[in-house]
Amino acid sequence: MSQAAHRSDQRPADTRSSPRALRALGPFIRPYRGRIALAGIFLVLAAVTTLVLPIALRALIDQGLISSDPAERVALMQEHFLALFGVGAALGVFSAARYFMVSWLGERITADLREAVYRHVLKQSPEFFERTQTGEVVSRLTADTTLIQTVVGTSVSLGLRNSIMGAGALLMLIITNPVVMAQVLGALVLILMPAILYGRRVRKLSRASQDRIAEASAIAAEVLNAVPVVQSHAAEAREAARFGASTEQAFRTAERRIRARAFLVAFIITATTGAMLWGLYQGTQAVMAGRISAGHLGQTVLYVILLLGSVAALSEVYSDILRAAGATERLMELLAAKSPIADPARPRALPAVQGGARVSLDHVVFHYPSRPQQAALHDVSLDVAPGETVALVGPSGAGKTTVFQLLLRFYDPQSGDIRIDGVSVRELSLHALRERIAIVPQDSTIFSASAMDNIRYGRPDATDDDVVAAARAAHADGFIRQLPEGYATHLGERGVRLSGGQRQRINIARAILKNAPLLLLDEATSALDTESERAVQAALEEAMQGRTTLVIAHRLSTVVHADRIVVLDGGTIVDMGTHQELMARSGLYARLAAMQLHDA
Ligand code: ADP
């Protein structure tokens, strides 16, 4: 069951998403005040031009058609048509300018928002990703921002335009035809009441459907990342059904929303048409009785159409705004997530070192936030001298990986201290700390990029020559040159697939290129063929040169080369020494060594 589903189910769907939530967009809108003002000007100009149109029409009908002299009539007609075209052309230009400015704002603000949320999420500590599914974040970044784009880029402008036009048409009706106006007002109330009542229901349903979509995205993201596992379990049908169920739920919620809205539309159109025809009927009677001119009637009808149209549009806009309010809230939740791991207010500088970093753990006690009762590390103290190679061994779950996580400050220990070159990691900027550390993870990561750029990830400003040198040291140069396009070969997704040993060597090359004083090495557990194994081993030895190394060791060959071996079990250090010393004691280490150090 997804976390997303848990949380959204707990939320009462109706209590939030008030349009006020859109205020949170303020900081994203403010930088574009100038453009907004400009958009506003064009918006008003376009609306006013639309309101002038009925007046021009009335003039055409009443003055253009009425004159008795045919020659004069033609001239007058031409004049009026010219004027009418002038109004139309102005409307075209102003509308285009308004459209451009407003849509531009929508796209710009959404792009800013997307970038800000992504930038923020990338900085979160692992704790955040334990709570949040990546698929949910991706859905927020795409689906929710698109909703906001609709509102900023379309609905707000539609809303403003229709407010201006509605108010203008109303004003013109009051001036030109108070009696019709009163009737229209009555019709409006009748149309608006159910619209408002139904709006609530639509809002609730649209929020629910947005939730269901995020849920389905979360499922898809998780499963697509594990397709081989799914297929090896022949679980395609099961997974398809799970996604299907979630999508169908989204569909059913959407269906209820659009049905509610369809009823509303049917009602509004029927009621509006009725009201209009009633007005028109009365108008024709008035023209026939000679109480008003034909032009007057034409003008009035146009204003009524404008007024009713803008009211209908406004109710639509309102529901869009509510939808965007919900989306904004969710995005703001993501933006408000505070990482418990942050830079100190005044970070200290690390001393310059040569030949490796000094690392010390001092009575470290740590449990993962999701498991407060169980300590992953319990009172661990360890000093590693510059240039030393220390192997961490122990059964699975002993806490070896946790030591790495704390050194990188992905988490803070509950008590005790961790120091690099004499400075507590809490006193360092995360950037400075992580600059000092190169890591070769167990599952080698290959990005979807060229071989050259994959290695350069270790030091983005490295020259091509530096990259090749690092690849050579990591015994990767040979196989890279044999790839179809050598260093330019695209690796990773939609690229050339590498063997496990080759991937590792790319990761080692990355670490060598980074040239950090502390190397954290998580040896791969899966066995490689002998040749690959030898190449990786040689690469690792190269990587350890002149720096401090902590290695989570699964192989005897690695351990016997270490200066010191630390045996962890159940979150505590149970033994420490060289291979010979530990073997002589015939404790846990001897047993692990007999099993080739593979996780017990
Ligand atoms: P090792 O690397 O020695 O196999 P770990 O350091 O990964 O062991 O794990 C130590 C303990 O912490 C284990 O009991 C493990 O289940 C637990 N643990 C590891 N990672 C997490 C996590 N992200 N959340 C909660 N518990 C964790």
Side-chain angles (χ1 to χ4, degrees):
M1 176 90 185
S2 77
Q3 303 256 349
H6 270 310
R7 277 189 295 137
S8 44
D9 284 352
Q10 282 161 9
R11 273 180 210 151
D14 202 28
T15 52
R16 310 169 344 133
S17 21
S18 111
R20 229 166 286 144
L22 286 175
R23 272 194 217 159
L25 291 178
F28 292 92
I29 293 173
R30 232 162 278 143
Y32 303 108
R33 267 174 299 204
R35 292 214 174 224
I36 291 172
L38 211 56
I41 291 171
F42 284 119
L43 204 138
V44 172
L45 282 176
V48 169
T49 320
T50 312
L51 288 169
V52 169
L53 214 52
I55 298 178
L57 183 75
R58 176 187 187 172
L60 173 77
I61 297 175
D62 283 353
Q63 292 158 30
L65 292 174
I66 260 113
S67 172
S68 48
D69 173 6
E72 193 187 344
R73 191 152 64 189
V74 170
L76 264 176
M77 282 284 276
Q78 280 173 349
E79 216 170 273
H80 280 295
F81 267 108
L82 221 58
L84 212 53
F85 176 72
V87 175
L91 182 62
V93 171
F94 294 149
S95 300
R98 182 214 66 221
Y99 167 78
F100 177 82
M101 297 301 288
V102 171
S103 307
W104 186 93
L105 281 168
E107 298 282 355
R108 187 64 258 159
I109 289 167
T110 313
D112 288 353
L113 190 62
R114 260 189 204 132
E115 287 167 26
V117 172
Y118 187 65
R119 211 179 304 126
H120 186 74
V121 166
L122 272 190
K123 278 193 293 198
Q124 296 304 305
S125 71
E127 197 187 337
F128 173 86
F129 295 97
E130 282 166 24
R131 280 186 285 112
T132 318
Q133 286 189 309
T134 44
E136 193 193 340
V137 175
V138 172
S139 171
R140 299 278 166 258
L141 279 177
T142 51
D144 282 355
T145 48
T146 308
L147 269 183
I148 293 174
Q149 182 187 328
T150 313
V151 162
V152 179
T154 319
S155 306
V156 167
S157 119
L158 257 175
L160 282 177
R161 178 153 53 110
N162 281 293
S163 306
I164 295 173
M165 279 183 0
L170 197 66
L171 189 74
M172 293 307 286
L173 278 173
I174 293 175
I175 295 169
T176 57
N177 216 331
V179 185
V180 175
M181 219 287 301
Q183 288 174 3
V184 168
L185 265 190
L188 270 185
V189 172
L190 279 178
I191 295 167
L192 272 183
M193 292 271 279
I196 288 169
L197 280 178
Y198 250 71
R200 257 169 204 279
R201 191 176 149 75
V202 171
R203 158 163 57 133
K204 209 156 108 182
L205 289 171
S206 68
R207 176 170 194 130
S209 97
Q210 210 62 19
D211 273 343
R212 297 290 99 81
I213 290 170
E215 247 171 74
S217 310
I219 292 178
E222 185 186 355
V223 170
L224 288 179
N225 272 323
V227 165
V229 181
V230 172
Q231 292 181 345
S232 70
H233 285 83
E236 295 97 324
R238 223 183 322 146
E239 287 301 344
R242 200 155 70 95
F243 181 78
S246 195
T247 309
E248 284 306 310
Q249 256 209 328
F251 169 75
R252 274 191 298 275
T253 322
E255 193 184 24
R256 281 164 58 201
R257 174 171 63 81
I258 56 182
R259 185 174 299 138
R261 198 141 162 179
F263 273 120
L264 197 59
V265 169
F267 174 79
I268 288 178
I269 291 182
T270 315
T272 337
T273 320
M276 248 162 43
L277 288 177
W278 172 243
L280 196 58
Y281 174 74
Q282 294 215 319
T284 45
Q285 298 289 314
V287 173
M288 284 193 287
R291 272 181 280 135
I292 59 170
S293 70
H296 189 161
L297 174 64
Q299 175 188 328
T300 308
V301 167
L302 269 191
Y303 278 130
V304 171
I305 290 176
L306 278 179
L307 176 59
L308 293 182
S310 56
V311 169
L314 278 177
S315 73
E316 194 108 334
V317 164
Y318 186 63
S319 86
D320 277 346
I321 284 182
L322 289 177
R323 268 163 36 111
T328 307
E329 273 167 1
R330 289 152 190 282
L331 284 167
M332 291 305 141
E333 262 167 36
L334 281 185
L335 269 182
K338 262 222 157 74
S339 178
I341 307 296
D343 283 335
R346 231 172 289 135
R348 279 180 58 184
L350 276 168
V353 291
Q354 284 213 317
R358 176 181 296 281
V359 177
S360 52
L361 282 77
D362 187 13
H363 296 287
V364 169
V365 176
F366 172 71
H367 54 72
Y368 284 94
S370 56
R371 297 173 83 178
Q373 323 80 358
Q374 197 200 350
L377 290 183
H378 191 74
D379 199 20
V380 169
S381 295
L382 177 67
D383 273 297
V384 184
E388 199 182 6
T389 296
V390 171
L392 301 177
V393 299
S396 174
K400 305 180 292 289
T401 315
T402 307
V403 171
F404 280 15
Q405 305 250 40
L406 295 184
L407 282 172
L408 285 161
R409 202 171 170 228
F410 286 145
Y411 301 92
D412 278 332
Q414 275 75 33
S415 70
D417 200 13
I418 296 170
R419 281 187 296 274
I420 304 273
D421 294 316
V423 185
S424 167
V425 292
R426 287 174 192 260
E427 293 178 297
L428 290 169
S429 76
L430 292 171
H431 187 256
L433 169 67
R434 292 169 187 172
E435 280 275 275
R436 286 253 152 155
I437 303 176
I439 181 158
V440 178
Q442 196 174 69
D443 318 308
S444 321
T445 306
I446 299 292
F447 293 100
S448 178
S450 69
M452 182 73 83
D453 287 343
N454 254 291
I455 297 175
R456 212 196 307 267
Y457 206 83
R459 183 152 57 85
D461 60 354
T463 63
D464 287 3
D465 288 343
D466 293 341
V467 171
V468 173
R472 224 174 258 142
H475 294 251
D477 182 67
F479 79 81
I480 293 176
R481 285 190 191 281
Q482 279 168 19
L483 293 172
E485 291 167 67
Y487 278 88
T489 310
H490 197 84
L491 306 178
E493 266 184 52
R494 282 184 283 136
V496 173
R497 299 282 160 145
L498 300 177
S499 77
Q502 291 171 333
R503 284 210 303 271
Q504 266 175 18
R505 279 178 276 162
I506 296 263
N507 273 252
I508 295 167
R510 204 182 276 159
I512 290 176
L513 185 66
K514 184 165 179 180
N515 194 20
L518 174 61
L519 175 67
L520 302 181
L521 203 64
D522 197 347
E523 222 172 39
T525 40
S526 54
L528 301 169
D529 61 83
T530 331
E531 197 192 334
S532 226
E533 169 84 54
R534 211 172 290 141
V536 168
Q537 206 61 43
L540 287 178
E541 266 154 41
E542 192 72 40
M544 293 176 190
Q545 286 299 319
R547 49 182 69 97
T548 309
T549 307
L550 277 171
V551 50
I552 297 179
H554 299 291
R555 287 179 232 292
L556 222 61
S557 52
T558 310
V559 185
V560 291
H561 285 115
D563 298 316
R564 197 150 46 117
I565 299 157
V566 172
V567 187
L568 277 164
D569 191 17
T572 49
I573 296 179
V574 293
D575 212 345
M576 211 185 296
T578 62
H579 178 68
Q580 281 75 19
E581 288 166 7
L582 293 172
M583 285 307 275
R585 271 177 230 155
S586 55
L588 175 60
Y589 177 77
R591 287 205 301 284
L592 287 168
M595 293 188 293
Q596 271 284 306
L597 293 166
H598 267 298
D599 286 343

